[in-house]
Amino acid sequence: KRFTKKIPKCLIKFNNKPFIYYQLKYLKKNGINNVIISVGYKSDQIKSYVKNNINFINTKIIEDGKFFLGTGGATLKSLKYLKKYFFIIYGDSYLTFNFNSINSKNLATMVIFKNKNKFDRSNIQLGKKNKILYFNKKTKKKLDYIDYGLSYVSKKIFKTEKLKKKFDLSEFYAKISRKNKLNGLITKKRFYEIGSYNGIKEFKLYLKKLLILLTNFFLIYRSYLKI
């Protein structure tokens, strides 16, 4: 909480830029041009940053309002602005997955990673024909896979269920998975998150390694030009 006492999680800075900057850059790199940002905690700070600093991607900010809606309730509130199919990513996740790898007409597809409790507690059971069971609460089952933080869903999936105004997506995913409506897509690309101190440390290390790689490429390219 020492990181988020005065600012929302997505504004934690890495190399003098907030986490949300890296997320939006990642989305743009994957061909995404329009993004809806759902905000609740300290939303004014996020709105101010995006308005004054983000000009490379189209953004629309939707606030929860007087009461927090949860990730599911916030998605419901955004549905009228979304296309028939859309991506959902979490506000504290940074991914390395190629969006173009998803080409599905299933009602709901979740990217999953063979985690074996390494980065966080595994919560996915992979079944036949890539159908998955999602566990949003602690289970005694030994599970290998984890929710990667990226889903591709149809608006229809939300209309087939009776939903409360306030709920979390984890509850929703667990519910539709029990009805055999949630498909899994395995990726070997790891994810990063800033929902924990260790996650923040790992994302800093990832950016450091990336910077070194880019610097080496620049030096090699400069050397090549001199030949």
Side-chain angles (χ1 to χ4, degrees):
K1 288 186 177 180
R2 64 187 175 91
F3 286 101
T4 56
K5 189 175 181 179
K6 295 182 179 180
I7 61 170
K9 198 185 299 182
C10 67
L11 292 187
I12 295 174
K13 287 191 175 181
F14 298 86
N15 296 338
N16 294 317
K17 290 190 181 295
F19 185 71
I20 192 173
Y21 168 84
Y22 296 100
Q23 281 190 309
L24 294 175
K25 275 289 187 180
Y26 161 75
L27 293 175
K28 182 65 177 180
K29 183 180 177 181
N30 275 272
I32 305 297
N33 296 310
N34 301 291
V35 179
I36 290 178
I37 304 172
S38 177
V39 296
Y41 179 67
K42 297 190 179 297
S43 59
D44 287 346
Q45 293 185 34
I46 302 173
K47 287 163 62 179
S48 177
Y49 173 77
V50 171
K51 180 181 178 181
N52 296 315
N53 298 277
I54 303 300
N55 58 9
F56 54 84
I57 194 169
N58 299 320
T59 59
K60 181 177 183 62
I61 294 180
I62 297 180
E63 298 182 77
D64 278 6
K66 190 175 181 180
F67 302 102
F68 290 144
L69 299 175
T71 50
T75 303
L76 279 186
K77 191 172 182 178
S78 303
L79 279 184
K80 61 183 177 181
Y81 304 106
L82 293 163
K83 293 182 178 180
K84 184 178 178 181
Y85 279 87
F86 59 95
F87 293 99
I88 298 175
I89 68 170
Y90 302 132
D92 60 358
S93 296
Y94 183 85
L95 314 177
T96 56
F97 181 82
N98 185 343
F99 277 44
N100 294 320
S101 299
I102 300 182
N103 183 21
S104 172
K105 293 302 178 183
N106 295 310
L107 287 176
T109 299
M110 175 181 286
V111 181
I112 60 176
F113 177 77
K114 199 165 188 178
N115 179 54
K116 292 187 176 181
N117 294 321
K118 183 179 180 181
F119 302 118
D120 204 342
R121 190 179 181 89
S122 298
N123 63 338
I124 301 291
Q125 180 177 306
L126 182 61
K128 295 179 180 179
K129 296 183 179 179
N130 292 323
K131 294 294 182 181
I132 62 176
L133 272 176
Y134 183 102
F135 295 87
N136 64 320
K137 296 180 181 179
K138 289 184 179 180
T139 176
K140 293 182 180 179
K141 287 180 175 289
K142 291 184 178 180
L143 305 172
D144 289 334
Y145 293 90
I146 191 171
D147 173 3
Y148 184 71
L150 174 63
S151 298
Y152 185 61
V153 300
S154 167
K155 292 170 80 169
K156 288 181 181 179
I157 193 66
F158 291 96
K159 295 176 181 178
T160 61
E161 305 296 326
K162 290 184 179 180
L163 300 169
K164 300 176 183 177
K165 190 174 182 180
K166 178 183 177 180
F167 66 98
D168 286 327
L169 281 173
S170 59
E171 301 170 27
F172 177 71
Y173 289 139
K175 183 180 180 181
I176 63 172
S177 75
R178 290 193 299 269
K179 295 182 179 181
N180 218 30
K181 293 181 179 180
L182 187 58
N183 286 67
L185 178 62
I186 300 171
T187 181
K188 292 184 179 180
K189 299 280 188 178
R190 70 154 294 185
F191 64 91
Y192 296 88
E193 51 80 23
I194 59 165
S196 65
Y197 292 128
N198 189 56
I200 290 172
K201 182 180 178 180
E202 286 197 333
F203 186 62
K204 283 182 179 178
L205 184 60
Y206 166 77
L207 290 178
K208 185 178 180 179
K209 288 180 178 179
L210 190 64
L211 182 61
I212 291 171
L213 284 173
L214 290 173
T215 303
N216 287 340
F217 174 78
F218 176 72
L219 290 173
I220 292 169
Y221 183 63
R222 291 267 301 187
S223 176
Y224 175 75
L225 287 176
K226 288 180 180 178
I227 293 175

